[in-house]
Amino acid sequence: MKKQVVLYKKLSPYLMARLQAQAEVTLIDKLDADGLAQLRAALPRAHGLLGASLKLDAGLLDLAPHLHAIASVSVGVDNYDIDYLTERRILLSNTPDVLTETTADTGFALILAAARRVVELANVVRNGQWTSNVGPAQFGTDVHGKTLGIIGMGRIGEAVAQRGHFGFGMPVIYHSQSPKPAVEQRFDAQYCSLPDLFQQADFVCLTLPLTAHTEGLIGAEQFALMRPQTIFINISRGKVVDEAAMIEALRSGQIRAAGLDVFEREPLDADSPLLRLDNVVATPHIGSATHETREAMAACAVDNLLAALAGQRPKNLVNIGAFRA
């Protein structure tokens, strides 16, 4: 008998066919009120779940007594109670690696756009306000040769460092849970404390996961250590930053600008002050949003789920303690 899989993310025809060849699939098109009702109705018979951007807590998963595996189409796993899943021996897998380069591209796009005021000045042209040569009031700042500070030196942090070091001749400083000798050798990078990084970096780039330890890591105290020329980049998770403190730092000139792909609340509220600040470049969580990368992520998730349902250890298992061979 085929396993029952609940899919709350649309797949390409090829991946859907792969999944349907080995499982009975219930597809939920939208995670609106009707979709959530469909999910609740399907959970009692589900052996596997595949999707993204839905907080799966005990209140939902207690409805799924037969659940064996969840394949998240994401790198971040902050939507899951990992201790709960491990206790129930529900295998949680994610999709690292395949989005590393694309997300790093997004980070560097934000670095360049914020430094050179690309969005602000493109809107001047679009609105028909370009009536004379650009002067000092519209000048941006150089990226090449400036100090790049990276907080969180995982795969994405390394990919950002590679672009900065080799592409733009940027000195790289970083902070992570522990020094990374291989990173230091490859990029001539220097490990430093967070206060030192804030005081030295021209660009502060966040690439770390959201955990109980990192939530609210960057607040008023940290922004106060930065310099007026600092440009702040966040491609990690919005809740790593105290958004109100960041807005005040941007308004007051404590920092020069920000490039943001993530926010405390997503989608961003229509009345958010960030939308009215010219020194902010804001994108709608597009870190991995290319056709190629999203298909690769979905394929990775399908591989993970099918392996788990076959009694194998998924390649990208998050909660290793839940697996029993």
Side-chain angles (χ1 to χ4, degrees):
M1 181 182 296
K2 288 184 177 180
K3 299 288 188 179
Q4 300 290 321
V5 168
V6 178
L7 177 66
Y8 52 98
K9 179 178 178 61
K10 290 184 179 179
L11 299 177
S12 67
Y14 168 73
L15 292 178
M16 189 63 149
R18 276 196 62 208
L19 198 56
Q20 289 176 325
Q22 301 187 51
E24 293 290 340
V25 179
T26 299
L27 173 62
I28 297 171
D29 284 324
K30 287 184 178 181
L31 290 175
D32 54 13
D34 288 341
L36 290 174
Q38 293 174 41
L39 175 66
R40 287 177 173 274
L43 282 174
R45 61 183 184 277
H47 299 98
L49 301 177
L50 189 151
S53 304
L54 174 64
K55 189 171 185 63
L56 292 174
D57 56 20
L60 272 177
L61 296 183
D62 282 345
L63 301 174
H66 307 296
L67 189 63
H68 179 63
I70 300 171
S72 184
V73 190
S74 66
V75 172
V77 291
D78 44 283
N79 275 335
Y80 308 93
D81 183 339
I82 295 175
D83 290 337
Y84 167 88
L85 295 178
T86 302
E87 183 179 348
R88 282 192 54 189
R89 295 190 180 179
I90 297 171
L91 306 183
L92 174 65
S93 57
N94 65 344
T95 59
D97 297 330
V98 293
L99 53 64
T100 297
E101 298 299 333
T102 301
T103 305
D105 284 350
T106 301
F108 234 88
L110 289 171
I111 287 172
L112 290 166
R116 298 303 304 271
R117 301 170 64 175
V118 171
V119 174
E120 176 190 355
L121 297 179
N123 284 334
V124 168
V125 177
R126 182 183 296 273
N127 295 332
Q129 297 170 337
W130 183 26
T131 57
S132 61
N133 290 337
V134 170
Q138 290 81 39
F139 287 172
T141 186
D142 283 333
V143 173
H144 63 271
K146 296 294 180 65
T147 298
L148 174 60
I150 299 173
I151 303 175
M153 191 55 81
R155 296 180 183 91
I156 295 171
E158 287 190 36
V160 172
Q162 176 176 308
R163 286 156 176 73
H165 175 70
F166 292 114
F168 290 82
M170 303 176 81
V172 175
I173 59 178
Y174 75 99
H175 181 84
S176 63
Q177 289 184 331
S178 60
K180 305 286 184 74
V183 168
E184 293 172 13
Q185 183 175 8
R186 184 180 180 195
F187 305 125
D188 193 25
Q190 177 184 347
Y191 178 85
C192 60
S193 69
L194 277 177
D196 285 346
L197 185 147
F198 294 137
Q199 292 168 350
Q200 296 176 32
D202 297 299
F203 295 87
V204 173
C205 184
L206 304 189
T207 65
L208 71 173
L210 176 63
T211 67
H213 174 69
T214 63
E215 185 170 355
L217 180 68
I218 313 298
E221 180 180 350
Q222 289 70 37
F223 283 112
L225 294 173
M226 301 180 198
R227 298 172 295 166
Q229 66 262 40
T230 300
I231 293 177
F232 183 73
I233 306 295
N234 191 1
I235 54 172
S236 59
R237 286 291 187 268
K239 290 184 179 179
V240 173
V241 181
D242 179 338
E243 204 161 273
M246 177 178 64
I247 290 168
E248 180 56 31
L250 288 161
R251 279 175 167 164
S252 68
Q254 177 66 51
I255 60 175
R256 182 191 295 269
L260 309 171
D261 190 44
V262 290
F263 308 90
E264 283 185 352
R265 289 172 55 89
E266 296 181 5
L268 189 62
D269 289 338
D271 61 353
S272 170
L274 292 170
L275 299 178
R276 297 187 293 276
L277 293 174
D278 288 336
N279 56 346
V280 171
V281 178
T283 51
H285 206 146
I286 62 169
S288 62
T290 67
H291 293 293
E292 301 91 338
T293 295
R294 289 294 174 88
E295 179 69 2
M297 291 171 67
C300 180
V302 169
D303 288 343
N304 287 333
L305 184 60
L306 292 177
L309 294 180
Q312 303 165 5
R313 174 175 166 171
K315 178 182 177 182
N316 302 298
L317 181 61
V318 173
N319 56 339
I320 296 172
F323 181 74
R324 297 291 186 271

